[in-house]
Each structure stands twice: as structure tokens, then as C-alpha cells.
Amino acid sequence: MRHLVGKGLSERRALAAVRMSASALRYVPRPDRNIELRGRILALAQRYKRYGVGMIHLKLGQAGELVNYKRVERLYREAKLQVRRRRRKKVPVGERQPLLRPVRANEVWSMDFVFDRTAEGRVIKCLTIVDDATHEAVAIEVERAISGQGVTRVLDRLALSRGLPRVIRTDNGKEFCGKAMVTWAYERGVQLRLIQPGKPNQNAYVESFNGRLRDECLNEHWFTHLVHVRTITETWRREYNEERPKKALGGLTPAEYAKRLAGEPATITPGL
């Protein structure tokens, strides 16, 4: 174009010769207004490697940055930050039943076990305890083995700092329905609710939590020894409670939601 103008052609004739519009010639690209946002999205994705675009959007909102979800999604995809989904074992879908959420903390806790291994191949057994109302991770107890007596010791320790729930929901594992646990619950006035065999969906809150624990914590680390596991899981538990926003809680963290519930009138949800 400039070569043609330099040969004596007018700009109009030169544009006609190369079939270009004057507006295209004078176009000046606008500065990228997404540079800072793109950087923050990248930083969050590097910090929280297993967070998808939904969680990145919630973390931005948590920091006070109200950004349109589609804009975040577009920048997220452009940067090719999509989280690779891990293959999960397919299990038959059981009968689904609605699981009512309690309306106050310490009304119902759910418990379960998650297993892993340290570098030398030895088994890790993690007792996970979740408050169904607030979604708080009440505890992640890590041992090589945990018996029913061990479970009761953990609960007695939690009773000193948090109190005990009215109901504890578990599966039918021997640790949860054995003599030690039944006696402990009777003496402290705690009701034990056992789900039906083969229906983990009836304990959905802790099952969902266990999936997050495995995906975002256990699968992301190579544990060298038991103390290492305890340190990492406790750090992750605190982060889960205090920093991780949840869409089901209106974008609040479990700790923030617990404070909100504490300021509201408490009622008992029937049929737990």
C-alpha cells in the first residue's frame, strides 16, 4: 500500500488497487483490557490446580472482583487452562432420594473413610467428618489404622472444642456400627444413622467432600511419611473451610456460611 503511494498514486487509488478500505488502513488495535484479569485467572489456576472455571469465577468474586462469568470462561479457555478430568470407576446408579440439609451447625455430621498410600506403599486411613449444614470439614484424622475405639477418641476430642452433633450419619462399616461406637453414642445421647448398604448417595455430603479431598489434595501430593500426610491434609482442610467458596452456599466459604447460620433463628429439620 505504502509502496503504491510512493509511486505517485493517490491514497484513494492505491486503496482501490489493493481492495482495501480506508477504515482498515487507519485501524488502530485497541489495548487489551483483559491483561490484568487474564493474569489473575492464570495465577489462580496455578495456585489451585484442580479448580475449574466455576471455582476460578467464585474466587474472583471472593476477592471483590465482579466479572461476568462468560468473560472469565472465554479467557480461561483461551489460556487452555481446562482441568483434565480423571477417569472414575463406573458404578451402578442406585435409587436416588432427596437428602435434606440441616439448618444449623452441629445438628448432623457425616463420617466416612478415605484410603491412600505413602511412598513406601503403606496404607493411609483418613477419617473424614463433615457438618451437613455448614459443609465444614470438621476433621480429617490420618492414621495407619483406625478402629471403632479410635473413632470415639476423635469425637471426644472434637467435643471439647466444638461440641457433639445430635445425629451422626455413616455407612455400615464395622468401625461405625461396632460395640465401641454404639456404646459411645448411647452414653452421650448421639443418634447413629446408618445408610442402606450399597447406597452411598444417602451420605452424599461426605461422599462429595471425599471426592474433593482426593482430587485436590491426596492425588496432588506424593506423601513420604505419616506426618507429611497430616500436615498437608490439615492445611487443605483449613483452606477448604476458610478460603474455598462454594456455589451451593451462595459463593460463601463454609466458615462464612457457619457464621451466617449462627446469626439466624435455629429450627430442627424433620426427617433427618
Side-chain angles (χ1 to χ4, degrees), residues 19 27 44 69 77 81-82 125 139 164-165 177 197 210 218:
R19 297 182 179 181
Y27 174 74
L44 285 170
Y69 177 85
R77 290 182 179 277
L81 298 174
Q82 292 91 328
K125 192 172 184 179
L164 291 174
C177 57
N210 288 347
L218 299 181

Side-chain angles (χ1 to χ4, degrees), residues 152 164 178-192:
T152 64
L164 291 174
K179 181 179 178 180
M181 189 68 185
V182 172
T183 303
W184 175 91
Y186 175 78
E187 291 175 348
R188 288 157 181 76
V190 176
Q191 299 178 37
L192 298 181

Side-chain angles (χ1 to χ4, degrees), residues 9-252:
L9 287 177
S10 67
E11 183 180 278
R12 181 174 61 80
R13 289 189 175 183
L15 286 170
V18 297
R19 297 182 179 181
M20 178 186 292
S21 66
S23 59
L25 176 66
R26 296 178 177 80
Y27 174 74
V28 178
R30 295 180 181 179
D32 186 356
R33 66 187 183 96
N34 293 315
I35 292 178
E36 292 185 1
L37 177 59
R38 188 180 285 107
R40 285 191 287 274
I41 291 173
L42 182 60
L44 285 170
Q46 291 174 342
R47 169 67 178 83
Y48 305 101
K49 295 181 180 180
R50 297 300 300 172
Y51 279 15
V53 62
M55 284 299 298
I56 296 293
H57 180 255
L58 287 176
K59 290 295 289 185
L60 289 170
Q62 187 181 50
E65 188 164 359
L66 302 179
V67 189
N68 182 274
Y69 177 85
K70 290 186 177 180
R71 181 181 173 193
V72 175
E73 183 180 36
R74 176 172 57 81
L75 296 176
Y76 182 88
R77 290 182 179 277
E78 286 177 358
K80 297 181 179 180
L81 298 174
Q82 292 91 328
V83 176
R84 179 178 297 178
R85 291 187 177 183
R86 296 190 172 106
R87 290 185 177 182
R88 295 185 177 181
K89 181 180 178 180
K90 292 185 178 180
V91 297
V93 178
E95 180 184 355
R96 297 186 181 274
Q97 297 178 354
L99 185 61
L100 300 178
R101 189 168 76 195
V103 294
R104 67 177 181 182
N106 278 12
E107 189 174 342
V108 181
W109 289 359
S110 296
M111 298 196 305
D112 199 4
F113 287 110
V114 179
F115 294 88
D116 207 331
R117 292 181 182 273
T118 45
E120 74 274 24
R122 296 184 63 190
V123 172
I124 307 164
K125 192 172 184 179
C126 305
L127 171 65
T128 56
I129 306 175
V130 174
D131 190 305
D132 287 10
T134 65
H135 290 202
E136 291 173 287
V138 179
I140 303 175
E141 186 74 9
V142 179
E143 295 288 353
R144 294 295 183 184
I146 304 177
S147 63
Q149 195 69 42
V151 173
T152 64
R153 285 196 293 267
V154 173
L155 292 170
D156 280 336
R157 189 184 72 227
L158 292 172
L160 298 176
S161 59
R162 185 185 176 99
L164 291 174
R166 184 171 65 88
V167 176
I168 295 179
R169 182 186 288 112
T170 68
D171 61 21
N172 293 267
K174 61 182 181 180
E175 301 90 346
F176 299 137
C177 57
K179 181 179 178 180
M181 189 68 185
V182 172
T183 303
W184 175 91
Y186 175 78
E187 291 175 348
R188 288 157 181 76
V190 176
Q191 299 178 37
L192 298 181
R193 293 288 174 85
L194 304 180
I195 65 173
Q196 293 175 272
K199 294 190 176 181
N201 57 295
Q202 294 181 359
N203 208 9
Y205 293 121
V206 75
E207 289 289 343
S208 175
F209 173 79
N210 288 347
R212 297 299 179 190
L213 171 64
R214 183 170 297 285
D215 186 55
E216 297 175 11
C217 181
L218 299 181
N219 286 350
E220 288 295 300
H221 295 88
W222 183 256
F223 300 113
T224 54
H225 48 76
L226 199 59
V227 175
H228 184 205
V229 186
R230 289 170 177 162
T231 302
I232 293 296
T233 54
E234 179 60 18
T235 299
W236 182 85
R237 186 188 73 86
R238 292 180 180 273
E239 180 183 284
Y240 180 91
N241 286 340
E242 300 168 9
E243 299 180 23
R244 192 184 193 279
K246 298 199 70 176
K247 187 176 181 180
L249 302 179
L252 299 177

